Amino acid sequence: MITKRLENSYLTAKERYAEIGIDTDRAIEQLSRVALSLHCWQGDDVGGFETPDSELSGGGIQVTGNYPGKARSADELRADLDMAYAMIPGKHRLNLHAIYGEFGGKKVDRNEIAPEHYQGWIDWARTQGIALDFNATLFSHQLANDGFTLSSADGSVREFWIEHCKRARAVGAYMGKELGQTCIHNLWIPDGSKDFPADRYAPRERLRASLDAIYSEKVGDTLADAVECKLFGIGSESFVVGSHEFYMGYALKNDLMVCLDMGHFHPTESVADKISSILLFAEEVLLHVSRGVRWDSDHVVIGSDELYSLAREVVRAGLDRVHIALDYFDATLNRVGAWVTGSRAAQRAILLALLEPTDTLRGYEDSGRLFERLAMFEELKSMPSGDVWNYFLYKAGVPVGTDWMKVVSDYGEKVIAARS
């Protein structure tokens, strides 16, 4: 009975969208090919597994909350991810930070990581049929405590982090080769100062030299590199070395991807507006989909005007040129539920964009019919996108509507609650 109702509702929605020139079957097919890169660090509050009691310690980021049952090992984290992926339609990726290696109880410093420390993740990804992305980790370490890593005035500190980044890129390239899909290695550093610096030029000059050393080594065609900018962070409120302008210039000059994080700009800036400008000069762009509340707070992604605007620009620019990763961490709620909520919100935003009659709207715009353009935007708000979304979920074989919430809650009661 429920299946028949879903199908009938979809057929009605399909007819309505056809009236404005939209093929809903095609939109669903396009959405099914969009692979999000889920962030492993939502599952354990950015702790990692370097030591048995690893936890986040500074470096410009912060997790709030103490919801019980965070993953304490790679096996627990993978089990939680299995549950999350089962609730998210489509086939997706995993974004892994270097601190999530499996080190066998041994002390392995960041400048010593190697592919062998991530073999368990590669084997798991292969069984899941997913790809891996990777990130060097330049925070939560004694050599990042003063707020400077690749731009440090201390040459030995810079060399340590340069070696770490080189090894991280080698790990990413190995992942890509083993899994047969390009691995995106993204680089973000916490470098900056709490108060106004006397010299902004020298740290950026040192950062450029460090990046030159990191990217001087070619690691094959199974790795794609991205660099991530930020406006400010905890402890770097007045000055961030890796600003948007710095990384835009460096990336375009050195044929790297720019990573735009939705929380890394001023609240009045539109990340959506930046996509078309960047893609005029670069082949691809990486997005970190997040939600800031008054600042870069990394709240769980939900449907919002900012997210919908971003999705529209992604679809208009071309889904094949934009890589979409999630980046938030909230320890105040069920962590698996946070993964699923944010992922579904991102997918639904993309679907809404795919259901937009872009050619019609552009035609209105090009011919100066601005009333029609505005009116069409308003009419789209009452179109039955929810029925198309539910049918997409049904066809993908995942719970429809709120049904997934009970599945995740039951998992929390039976599995997560048993952790202590």
Side-chain angles (χ1 to χ4, degrees):
M1 187 67 178
I2 295 175
T3 298
K4 192 65 176 177
R5 187 169 70 244
L6 277 171
E7 292 175 342
N8 288 338
S9 296
Y10 174 68
L11 290 174
T12 301
K14 182 176 180 178
E15 291 176 1
R16 286 197 61 190
Y17 275 105
E19 292 172 0
I20 60 172
I22 295 296
D23 182 343
T24 55
D25 289 339
R26 182 171 182 270
I28 287 174
E29 191 274 330
Q30 288 178 286
L31 180 59
S32 68
R33 297 200 308 268
V34 176
L36 304 177
S37 191
L38 274 66
H39 50 315
C40 73
W41 48 96
Q42 167 57 42
D44 80 326
D45 311 337
V46 204
F49 308 125
E50 289 183 312
T51 61
D53 58 348
S54 291
E55 61 180 28
L56 179 68
S57 60
I61 54 179
Q62 181 179 355
V63 178
T64 56
N66 56 359
Y67 192 88
K70 72 175 183 179
R72 303 162 299 181
S73 67
D75 285 338
E76 288 184 350
L77 186 56
R78 286 192 282 261
D80 290 351
L81 281 162
D82 287 341
M83 172 53 64
Y85 283 124
M87 299 296 105
I88 303 168
K91 184 66 71 174
H92 301 284
R93 304 169 68 95
L94 179 68
N95 203 4
L96 199 66
H97 247 288
I99 54 175
Y100 289 83
E102 295 176 86
F103 304 109
K106 299 177 182 178
K107 173 61 178 176
V108 178
D109 213 341
R110 305 275 176 89
N111 63 342
E112 300 171 327
I113 61 169
E116 65 196 60
H117 301 126
Y118 305 90
Q119 191 62 51
W121 286 104
I122 295 168
D123 294 341
W124 170 81
R126 186 179 290 112
T127 63
Q128 297 293 317
I130 67 173
L132 295 176
D133 296 315
F134 200 63
N135 307 260
T137 307
L138 288 86
F139 52 83
S140 296
H141 191 279
Q142 65 270 20
L143 291 183
N145 285 341
D146 69 349
F148 289 89
T149 61
L150 292 175
S151 67
S152 173
D154 186 329
S156 63
V157 171
R158 293 199 307 275
E159 287 302 318
F160 175 89
W161 290 115
I162 288 170
E163 180 63 21
H164 170 61
C165 292
K166 287 181 176 180
R167 286 174 173 259
R169 294 181 69 234
V171 169
Y174 179 78
M175 289 174 169
K177 181 179 179 181
E178 286 291 296
L179 297 172
Q181 297 190 63
T182 300
C183 172
I184 297 177
H185 176 265
N186 184 52
L187 179 62
W188 175 79
I189 62 174
D191 295 37
S193 60
K194 186 176 182 65
D195 220 327
F196 299 109
D199 186 357
R200 298 172 186 264
Y201 190 90
R204 286 175 172 149
E205 189 173 40
R206 291 192 291 267
L207 175 56
R208 183 182 64 179
S210 295
L211 295 175
D212 287 346
I214 292 166
Y215 297 117
S216 65
E217 296 185 12
K218 304 302 179 183
V219 292
D221 57 4
T222 58
L223 185 80
D225 286 296
V227 286
E228 181 179 354
C229 61
K230 193 165 187 173
L231 176 63
F232 81 99
I234 299 172
S236 61
E237 290 86 352
S238 297
F239 171 55
V240 168
V241 183
S243 65
H244 179 58
E245 293 76 14
F246 176 91
Y247 278 133
M248 271 288 288
Y250 192 86
L252 293 177
K253 182 178 180 181
N254 295 279
D255 196 26
L256 306 177
M257 268 190 284
V258 175
C259 175
L260 302 177
D261 187 301
M262 293 180 70
H264 284 197
F265 296 88
H266 191 278
T268 62
E269 281 190 275
S270 169
V271 175
D273 184 54
K274 301 178 187 299
I275 294 174
S276 57
S277 294
I278 290 175
L279 290 179
L280 281 171
F281 304 98
E283 290 299 317
E284 300 172 294
V285 65
L286 172 63
L287 298 178
H288 274 190
V289 179
S290 183
R291 176 169 61 104
V293 176
R294 295 188 173 88
W295 68 292
D296 179 28
S297 53
D298 289 298
H299 280 60
V300 178
V301 170
I302 60 172
S304 64
D305 289 344
E306 292 81 8
L307 181 62
Y308 296 144
S309 295
L310 186 80
R312 290 190 192 101
E313 288 302 313
V314 168
V315 169
R316 292 167 184 168
L319 285 166
D320 59 332
R321 300 182 65 191
V322 182
H323 303 276
I324 306 172
L326 301 178
D327 186 3
Y328 53 82
F329 30 93
D330 190 337
T332 67
L333 72 170
N334 182 302
R335 296 170 181 84
V336 175
W339 266 321
V340 181
T341 299
S343 300
R344 284 194 174 209
Q347 288 181 295
R348 186 160 185 165
I350 295 169
L351 177 62
L352 285 172
L354 291 168
L355 294 173
E356 182 181 274
T358 303
D359 291 341
T360 298
L361 289 163
R362 284 174 175 158
Y364 289 152
E365 189 167 280
D366 292 343
S367 60
R369 299 167 66 185
L370 303 186
F371 135 66
E372 288 92 339
R373 181 190 64 182
L374 183 62
M376 178 60 81
F377 277 130
E378 286 299 297
E379 290 301 320
L380 288 171
K381 295 176 182 178
S382 62
M383 292 292 285
S385 62
D387 293 326
V388 181
W389 169 250
N390 286 335
Y391 189 71
F392 168 64
L393 297 173
Y394 162 67
K395 293 290 287 185
V398 301
V400 176
T402 59
D403 291 349
W404 72 270
M405 295 165 59
K406 185 179 187 313
V407 178
V408 172
S409 294
D410 288 346
Y411 177 80
E413 293 174 3
K414 295 175 182 177
V415 178
I416 294 176
R419 300 170 185 167
S420 60

